[in-house]
Amino acid sequence: MTRNRTGASRMNDADATLAELKKRVREFRDRRQWERFHTPKNLSMAIAVEAAELMEQFQWLAPDEAWELREDEGRLEMIGEELADIIIYALSFANSLEIDVTTAVLDKLAKNAEKYPERDYRGRSSWLESKEGGEH
Amino acid sequence: MTRNRTGASRMNDADATLAELKKRVREFRDRRQWERFHTPKNLSMAIAVEAAELMEQFQWLAPDEAWELREDEGRLEMIGEELADIIIYALSFANSLEIDVTTAVLDKLAKNAEKYPERDYRGRSSWLESKEGGEH
Amino acid sequence: MTRNRTGASRMNDADATLAELKKRVREFRDRRQWERFHTPKNLSMAIAVEAAELMEQFQWLAPDEAWELREDEGRLEMIGEELADIIIYALSFANSLEIDVTTAVLDKLAKNAEKYPERDYRGRSSWLESKEGGEH
Amino acid sequence: MTRNRTGASRMNDADATLAELKKRVREFRDRRQWERFHTPKNLSMAIAVEAAELMEQFQWLAPDEAWELREDEGRLEMIGEELADIIIYALSFANSLEIDVTTAVLDKLAKNAEKYPERDYRGRSSWLESKEGGEH
């Protein structure tokens, strides 16, 4: 936990659990009675819309320029907000279907680890390999 | 923490911190030396691609049908995997630009709370209101 | 062809060929020397970004409300602009890889006609059927 | 018009009008009675889903590699199909709201021409400039 300017303690990634963030997102929705808008279908659209807004930040950049963003405070703040929007809707989606995000992520990483063994994919893009593999 | 079939303890949303999940995602990437593919630009595309795959599950459904999914184990599992993909790439993106997800989310919720006061937006979609507001 | 307010003749869907629209899009790009930004990769991102902006117009609407838009001149104009952005980048993408759009569309319609025979799919969503089909 | 292998004449971009392609797309839908699925909201999602599938082809590629695709017949065919899907749903969307695509495209190009004068934007990305412009 860290203290912000006003001396109040703030959670950060080191101590916030997924359940804690999901709770904050649920409270925000419930206080505005937005359940009827936050259907799984609408939330899947919302995640995609926010993902596009994040992508828009990188759309015309050469790969090298994308790294330079790290020095640009204003842009980094905008990028952080777009990422937050994605996470917020993703957690709201998880709330709506009662999905345990941690379990889903660890299961998927385990599945991917089998699909892309380290010895075969070290330094090689999963995509090209899997497509080639699929054609042979 | 819960125990899975083999008796091993597994983290879930109640005890996994964001930092812990970010670490797992980073290790997966590093073991395959995928840093050069995982640029912020490419990761923003990957999040958007996975968001579309989640959306595809709801694309032609009527809103009511979307809720029925909760009874469909097979579909729920697919949906959980798509959500996991989004979260995994979002955390990898956060790793790449050293963004604290918790801070970004809490800051954005605070900003949204000011933008959409409870008394004005209770039961009313943020979108319609904000668009109407913009036109007056 | 129709005449607009100033008496100039304007093309519309009845007489504009795909080649004509592709030419207009190419000229716009060339006059600004934007070839180096308009790579296939960047254009695929641009199409996705504009598609999300169109989707944003419908994100929180109930299905019935989406039809009511037809009475709302201002919204229809915004929607027309978002659709135009998608088409413009899609044609620019076709230009960049020298794809004949008409051939691609007619080939895909022929392929889909085989995949979704009228007698089997009349009134039934392609998606649900194909997923169910895939599981049997 | 060109002749294909079987000697039948096929339309291509040089002679197909937008109205002709819109008619083909409408017929495909009507023969399957898919009007109730093809709401503007669902079609906006479908365009976004197909846009993501096109993007997936370029997701992990370096910019140079994206150009090499032009030599790869198999990949080009997949890319052409993804582009066709986007166009098909975009035309179906235009049908559903009775939008004249040609008018929308020409109007948007005219608007963009005012927004990005050639003398100011030659060789410079619209995005960076417009963002910088917005900050000053």
Side-chain angles (χ1 to χ4, degrees):
Chain A
M1 238 177 271
T2 56
R3 305 234 158 229
N4 66 11
R5 287 177 231 163
T6 60
S9 61
R10 282 289 300 270
M11 290 190 296
N12 59 32
D13 286 351
D15 49 14
T17 61
L18 270 294
E20 180 65 32
L21 286 192
K22 283 166 86 174
K23 180 168 151 278
R24 301 288 184 110
V25 167
R26 189 187 301 110
E27 286 170 355
F28 186 93
R29 182 201 65 181
D30 289 348
R31 282 191 192 126
R32 283 155 192 81
Q33 301 176 350
W34 283 355
E35 296 89 331
R36 73 180 176 101
F37 303 113
H38 284 211
T39 62
K41 178 167 179 162
N42 284 358
L43 288 167
S44 75
M45 293 174 79
I47 297 169
V49 165
E50 300 302 335
E53 291 186 8
L54 180 64
M55 196 163 60
E56 201 178 357
Q57 300 282 334
F58 300 97
Q59 191 171 350
W60 304 117
L61 296 184
D64 297 346
E65 292 171 310
W67 286 113
E68 286 171 25
L69 294 179
R70 283 190 289 200
E71 314 301 319
D72 183 337
E73 285 281 334
R75 285 289 290 281
L76 269 185
E77 197 180 315
M78 285 168 62
I79 287 167
E81 286 197 18
E82 302 297 359
L83 182 67
D85 282 331
I86 295 168
I87 301 278
I88 288 169
Y89 283 124
L91 295 180
S92 200
F93 182 92
N95 282 334
S96 78
L97 292 176
E98 295 176 19
I99 295 171
D100 190 88
V101 172
T102 301
T103 303
V105 164
L106 295 181
D107 285 353
K108 194 68 202 300
L109 285 176
K111 193 171 175 177
N112 284 347
E114 277 186 43
K115 193 171 167 189
Y116 306 114
E118 295 175 32
R119 65 180 178 284
D120 297 334
Y121 288 92
R122 193 162 290 133
R124 313 179 75 181
S125 157
S126 61
W127 192 86
L128 286 173
E129 298 306 311
S130 63
K131 296 290 166 179
E132 278 171 21
E135 285 164 25
H136 293 310
Chain B
M1 236 175 274
T2 56
R3 307 236 157 228
N4 66 10
R5 288 177 232 165
T6 60
S9 60
R10 282 289 300 271
M11 289 191 297
N12 59 32
D13 286 352
D15 48 17
T17 61
L18 270 292
E20 181 65 32
L21 286 193
K22 283 166 85 175
K23 180 168 152 278
R24 301 287 183 108
V25 168
R26 188 187 300 109
E27 285 170 357
F28 186 93
R29 181 200 67 180
D30 289 348
R31 283 192 192 124
R32 283 155 193 81
Q33 301 175 352
W34 282 355
E35 295 90 330
R36 75 181 175 99
F37 303 113
H38 284 210
T39 61
K41 178 169 178 162
N42 284 356
L43 288 167
S44 74
M45 294 174 78
I47 297 169
V49 165
E50 301 302 337
E53 290 187 8
L54 180 64
M55 197 162 59
E56 202 178 356
Q57 299 281 336
F58 301 98
Q59 191 170 352
W60 304 118
L61 296 185
D64 297 346
E65 293 171 310
W67 286 113
E68 287 172 24
L69 294 179
R70 282 190 290 200
E71 315 301 320
D72 184 337
E73 285 283 333
R75 284 289 290 283
L76 269 185
E77 197 180 316
M78 285 168 63
I79 287 168
E81 286 197 20
E82 303 297 359
L83 182 66
D85 282 331
I86 294 168
I87 301 277
I88 288 168
Y89 284 125
L91 296 180
S92 201
F93 183 92
N95 282 333
S96 78
L97 290 177
E98 296 176 18
I99 294 172
D100 189 87
V101 172
T102 301
T103 303
V105 164
L106 296 181
D107 284 353
K108 195 68 202 301
L109 285 176
K111 194 172 176 175
N112 284 347
E114 277 186 44
K115 195 172 166 189
Y116 306 113
E118 295 175 33
R119 65 180 177 284
D120 297 333
Y121 288 93
R122 193 162 292 133
R124 314 178 74 179
S125 156
S126 62
W127 192 87
L128 286 174
E129 298 306 310
S130 63
K131 295 291 167 179
E132 279 169 21
E135 284 164 27
H136 293 311
Chain C
M1 235 175 272
T2 55
R3 308 232 158 229
N4 66 12
R5 287 177 230 166
T6 61
S9 62
R10 281 291 299 272
M11 289 190 296
N12 59 33
D13 286 351
D15 48 17
T17 61
L18 269 293
E20 180 65 32
L21 285 192
K22 283 165 87 174
K23 181 169 151 279
R24 302 287 184 109
V25 168
R26 189 188 298 109
E27 285 170 357
F28 186 93
R29 182 200 66 182
D30 288 349
R31 284 193 191 124
R32 283 156 191 80
Q33 301 176 353
W34 282 355
E35 296 89 331
R36 74 181 176 98
F37 303 113
H38 284 210
T39 62
K41 178 168 179 163
N42 284 357
L43 288 167
S44 75
M45 294 173 78
I47 297 169
V49 165
E50 301 301 337
E53 291 186 8
L54 180 63
M55 195 162 59
E56 202 179 356
Q57 299 282 335
F58 301 98
Q59 191 171 349
W60 304 116
L61 295 186
D64 297 346
E65 293 172 309
W67 286 113
E68 287 172 25
L69 294 179
R70 282 190 289 200
E71 314 301 320
D72 183 338
E73 285 283 334
R75 284 290 290 282
L76 269 184
E77 196 179 316
M78 285 168 62
I79 287 168
E81 287 197 18
E82 302 297 358
L83 182 66
D85 283 331
I86 294 167
I87 301 277
I88 288 168
Y89 283 125
L91 295 180
S92 200
F93 183 91
N95 282 334
S96 79
L97 290 177
E98 295 175 18
I99 294 171
D100 189 88
V101 172
T102 301
T103 303
V105 164
L106 295 180
D107 285 353
K108 195 66 202 300
L109 285 176
K111 194 172 176 176
N112 284 347
E114 277 186 43
K115 195 172 166 188
Y116 305 113
E118 294 175 34
R119 64 181 178 284
D120 297 334
Y121 289 93
R122 193 161 292 132
R124 313 178 74 181
S125 156
S126 62
W127 192 86
L128 286 174
E129 298 306 311
S130 64
K131 294 291 166 178
E132 278 170 23
E135 285 165 26
H136 292 312
Chain D
M1 236 177 272
T2 56
R3 307 236 156 226
N4 67 11
R5 288 175 230 165
T6 60
S9 60
R10 281 290 299 270
M11 288 190 297
N12 59 31
D13 286 352
D15 48 15
T17 61
L18 270 293
E20 180 65 32
L21 286 192
K22 282 166 87 174
K23 181 169 150 279
R24 302 286 184 110
V25 167
R26 189 187 301 110
E27 286 169 357
F28 187 93
R29 182 201 65 181
D30 289 347
R31 282 192 192 124
R32 284 156 192 80
Q33 302 175 350
W34 283 356
E35 296 90 332
R36 74 180 176 102
F37 303 114
H38 284 211
T39 61
K41 178 167 178 162
N42 284 357
L43 288 167
S44 75
M45 293 174 78
I47 297 170
V49 165
E50 300 302 335
E53 290 186 10
L54 180 63
M55 196 162 60
E56 202 178 358
Q57 299 282 335
F58 300 98
Q59 191 171 351
W60 304 118
L61 295 184
D64 297 347
E65 293 172 309
W67 286 113
E68 286 173 24
L69 294 179
R70 284 190 288 199
E71 314 301 320
D72 184 338
E73 284 282 336
R75 284 290 290 280
L76 268 184
E77 198 180 315
M78 285 168 62
I79 287 167
E81 287 197 17
E82 302 297 359
L83 182 66
D85 283 331
I86 294 167
I87 301 277
I88 288 168
Y89 283 125
L91 295 180
S92 200
F93 183 92
N95 282 334
S96 78
L97 291 177
E98 295 175 20
I99 295 171
D100 190 86
V101 172
T102 301
T103 303
V105 164
L106 296 181
D107 285 353
K108 194 68 201 299
L109 285 176
K111 193 171 176 177
N112 284 347
E114 275 186 43
K115 194 171 167 189
Y116 305 113
E118 295 175 32
R119 65 180 179 283
D120 297 334
Y121 288 93
R122 193 163 291 131
R124 314 178 74 180
S125 157
S126 61
W127 192 85
L128 286 174
E129 298 306 312
S130 63
K131 295 290 167 181
E132 278 170 21
E135 285 164 26
H136 292 312

